[in-house]
Amino acid sequence: MAVSPRAVLFLFLLAAAEMTTIDAKMGVVKQILLKDKLKAKEEEKSKGKEESQCVLQSLRFKGFCLNSDKCAEVCKKESFDDGECKLGLSNRKCFCKKPC
């Protein structure tokens, strides 16, 4: 069975066009990933410039900590600035934060 040169040329052009769209999409994905990395580095630098935070486990919070907003409310009642749920030894617990 003979394949015409036009058919071969068409298939090559089609494959090249698909490769170009894939490369363009990958370029966009790479740009997004790079932006995310830069953003994470900037956040890390800004955290280093802030005051150091003292973190202590809440004494009043009862049960598993699934909602950081509730944890923060309890911590504010304990004279802390903020609170968040973190993984303790075996489960999630409420940890309160304030500047040292």
Side-chain angles (χ1 to χ4, degrees), residues 12-32:
F12 279 123
L13 290 174
L14 184 64
E18 286 298 318
M19 290 175 143
T20 305
T21 57
I22 289 171
D23 287 341
K25 289 177 184 176
M26 289 305 292
V28 171
V29 170
K30 286 179 183 176
Q31 286 178 349
I32 292 170

Side-chain angles (χ1 to χ4, degrees), residues 32-58:
I32 292 170
L33 291 174
L34 286 174
K35 285 181 184 177
D36 288 345
K37 280 186 179 180
L38 289 173
K39 193 175 190 179
K41 284 184 180 180
E42 288 175 6
E43 288 176 0
E44 194 174 296
K45 286 181 183 178
S46 67
K47 285 182 182 178
K49 292 179 183 176
E50 294 176 359
E51 294 179 11
S52 59
Q53 295 280 321
C54 289
V55 180
L56 298 169
Q57 185 177 345
S58 173

